[in-house]
Amino acid sequence: MTGTAAAPPTTRQWLGLIAVSLGVALIVVDITIVNVILAPIIEDLEMDSAGAQWVQESYAISFAALLLLTGRLSDVLGARKVFLVGLTVFALTSLLAAAAPDGGVLILARFLQGVGAAAILPTSLALVNATFTGRARGQAFAVWGSTIGAAAALGPLLGGWLADLSWRWAFGINIPLVALILVGTLRYLDASPRSRTRIDGIGGVLSVLGLGLLSFALIEGRTYGWLETIEPLDLGAFTWSASPSPVFVALVVSTVALVLFWLKQAALGRAENEPLMDVRLFAIRSFRNGNFVTLLVGVGEFGIIAVLPLWLQFALGYSAFQAGLALVALAAGSFFASGAGFSMAASVPALQQVRIGLVLESAGLVLLGVIASTDTAWWLIAGALFLYGVGVGFATAQVTNIVLADVPAPSAGQASGIQSTARELGSALGIALLTTLFFTTLATNLKSRLDGPGLADRDAGQLSDTVTHSAGSAIPSLAENPRTAPVADAARAAMAQGLELASYTCAALLVLALAATLFVKSARGSARG
């Protein structure tokens, strides 16, 4: 129980929350939408596979690299101002992406989009945390968190629909939406207070270098090799083909940079100077342990989204639009959780809602693993994803509430940046872990299935590699040829087994996150469990 009853939020505050949530929805959609529109981009701009990969991943790398810095900037310059700047950058770079004449310009635009997104996410958290108090804060985070879950699911649907018109609309649609959000932010959110402090420039460089290289390594490990180089890295005229792998080097350099960053921030804190990241925040139990839960939730939640559309499209034969449509059940569950969380905020603490969400997410993933096959009925998929989506809506929303519950107001921006970084690194780690597990299972299982029909060992290995390297997209062409149709059937079965194992792994990770919540305690009643 809180000591003093807070005044109920005004309509203006709720409208401001809608503007902030829509801003977050935009940046999450732009993470998932590209997976669906990549094929027409490759065809239209005549890109190779390496360039196409950078269209996807340049955004995620710059996004993760800048979260700590932009979180601190929101304390210094004011959260609303940084949020508005992020929206403006996002709109301009979306225009550049939509008009890109070639792959190089598109990759640059995506990289700069990540810069705008990095300014939007942590400042949105700081704005919600500063605008709402007490029971209303839990309700506001229910809306904010459910927006993330729904946007992640709706991205592929929107991409599948827009791909039928032009892939350029997937970026162009951002511009009028950003204009609407800018108007709502200026009209319904007050200017945020500023701190008369300076930015630690050296710390900023170390954090961007460390987090950028770490996210690169987590995302690209499977492609370029964790230790030895298995695929050349092409960066313009420069090619890295020697060993050790660029991923291994990136991990080493990022570790050194992040250790130096931590030591410098700790020294600045002890000297009562102005660190970019005040490591003393980790002395707050709810903040420290809540960020660990956030990391685990990111690993468990986002990994499955990376492999689920592949199973839907290439094992079950769904079109890109139909695969996106199947994920609407996840979005519906997330929206349902938002409504339920709204009414539960007064009686169910945030930590308990996180636990409820993690239980439901785990149950949904276990159900998905049980039903995974080559002919799973759509209604079973919808049921599992709806249950999973409800869990996402509860857990994603309220884990932020418990992380920020005891953080002093002047440090809200950098605390939001830290929590956003934990979420993004968790998602990168989850995608790295789950895609590696999924494709390894696909390759080994398919090869073992092909050993039976009398194929030579070399032929079985070659066909297995073809399916795996194409991420399953070779299956339809294999199915069209009567001679290779049995290979396509075996590939579908292996893909279903890969999804089953991925689902169970994600469920286990979320159970681990549930266990970690036992160590989260808040000094405020709103987050007690």
Side-chain angles (χ1 to χ4, degrees):
M1 299 291 291
T2 54
T4 305
T10 63
T11 301
R12 183 172 181 271
Q13 288 174 305
W14 290 122
L15 291 172
L17 172 65
I18 292 173
V20 168
S21 298
L22 287 175
V24 173
L26 276 183
I27 64 175
V28 174
V29 163
D30 260 53
I31 294 174
T32 59
I33 198 171
V34 173
N35 295 331
V36 178
I37 63 171
L38 203 56
I41 287 176
I42 293 171
E43 183 178 355
D44 187 29
L45 299 183
E46 298 180 352
M47 299 182 70
D48 58 19
S49 59
Q53 187 170 333
W54 279 103
V55 170
Q56 291 176 291
E57 292 157 6
S58 56
Y59 177 90
I61 290 170
S62 60
F63 184 19
L66 290 164
L67 286 168
L68 279 182
L69 182 59
T70 54
R72 180 59 177 154
L73 282 172
S74 73
D75 289 330
V76 175
L77 302 177
R80 192 185 74 157
K81 179 177 289 186
V82 177
F83 184 76
L84 291 170
V85 170
L87 286 170
T88 304
V89 170
F90 196 81
L92 293 175
T93 52
S94 293
L95 179 61
L96 180 62
D102 55 52
V105 173
L106 181 58
I107 292 169
L108 174 63
R110 288 287 289 166
F111 183 87
L112 295 174
Q113 264 192 313
V115 175
I120 292 170
L121 183 60
T123 50
S124 73
L125 281 169
L127 286 167
V128 172
N129 200 51
T131 303
F132 297 89
T133 58
R135 170 192 175 188
R137 178 178 286 159
Q139 294 174 326
F141 276 120
V143 174
W144 181 91
S146 295
T147 299
I148 288 182
L154 289 175
L157 175 63
L158 184 61
W161 176 59
L162 291 172
D164 291 336
L165 303 174
S166 169
W167 64 266
R168 297 181 185 276
W169 276 108
F171 300 113
I173 198 172
N174 291 336
I175 298 162
L177 292 174
V178 167
L180 180 65
I181 297 165
L182 283 169
V183 171
T185 303
L186 288 167
R187 183 166 184 176
Y188 299 117
L189 285 171
D190 294 328
S192 304
R194 300 170 56 178
S195 301
R196 294 186 178 275
T197 57
R198 65 180 183 88
I199 293 292
D200 173 20
I202 296 176
V205 171
L206 288 171
S207 73
V208 171
L209 181 67
L211 292 173
L213 289 175
L214 179 58
S215 60
F216 163 79
L218 292 175
I219 292 169
E220 304 290 359
R222 192 178 68 86
T223 300
Y224 299 113
W226 293 102
L227 293 175
E228 300 294 324
T229 300
I230 60 176
E231 187 77 24
L233 169 63
D234 294 314
L235 292 173
F238 173 75
T239 299
W240 185 317
S241 56
S243 291
S245 162
V247 168
F248 177 76
V249 174
L251 280 172
V252 171
V253 176
S254 70
T255 301
V256 172
L258 291 173
V259 168
L260 291 175
F261 171 74
W262 181 275
L263 293 174
K264 188 172 191 302
Q265 302 312 296
L268 289 173
R270 286 193 299 270
E272 299 296 331
N273 282 328
E274 298 159 352
L276 182 69
M277 182 186 79
D278 190 349
V279 299
R280 291 171 296 183
L281 288 172
F282 289 93
I284 302 172
R285 185 174 181 179
S286 59
F287 180 78
R288 180 182 66 249
N289 296 342
N291 271 303
F292 181 66
V293 173
T294 297
L295 181 73
L296 288 175
V297 169
V299 174
E301 282 185 353
F302 285 90
I304 197 66
I305 298 296
V307 298
L308 184 59
L310 301 178
W311 171 67
L312 291 171
Q313 291 183 70
F314 303 127
L316 299 185
Y318 287 20
S319 68
F321 180 73
Q322 288 171 328
L325 197 61
L327 294 176
V328 170
L330 195 163
S334 191
F335 278 127
F336 174 84
S338 176
F342 218 82
S343 59
M344 292 166 61
S347 55
V348 181
L351 184 55
Q352 291 291 73
Q353 291 193 45
V354 170
R355 290 169 178 163
I356 291 170
L358 291 172
V359 169
L360 293 175
E361 281 187 86
S362 302
L365 287 170
V366 168
L367 179 58
L368 186 63
V370 168
I371 65 174
S373 70
T374 57
D375 59 353
T376 308
W378 69 267
W379 58 270
L380 286 173
I381 299 171
L385 291 181
F386 180 82
L387 184 62
Y388 174 68
V390 174
V392 169
F394 279 121
T396 300
Q398 298 306 330
V399 74
T400 301
N401 196 0
I402 63 174
V403 168
L404 300 181
D406 301 323
V407 172
S411 300
Q414 63 172 302
S416 299
I418 294 168
Q419 204 254 348
S420 298
T421 302
R423 184 191 301 277
E424 290 310 307
L425 290 179
S427 69
L429 180 57
I431 291 169
L433 173 65
L434 266 295
T435 52
T436 299
L437 179 66
F438 178 80
F439 287 116
T440 301
T441 304
L442 171 61
T444 55
N445 189 268
L446 177 55
K447 188 175 183 305
S448 68
R449 289 172 183 271
L450 294 178
D451 283 338
L455 286 171
D457 188 65
R458 192 186 74 171
D459 292 337
Q462 188 174 22
L463 286 167
S464 176
D465 288 344
T466 299
V467 172
T468 304
H469 290 160
S470 71
S473 62
I475 293 176
S477 59
L478 290 171
E480 290 174 0
N481 187 335
R483 293 178 59 191
T484 56
V487 176
D489 292 338
R492 292 189 188 102
M495 189 166 273
Q497 186 167 348
L499 181 78
E500 178 184 358
L501 183 58
S503 299
Y504 293 150
T505 301
C506 285
L509 289 165
L510 292 171
V511 169
L512 182 60
L514 177 64
T517 65
L518 298 175
F519 300 95
V520 178
K521 288 189 180 297
S522 171
R524 298 187 184 182
S526 64
R528 258 201 313 264

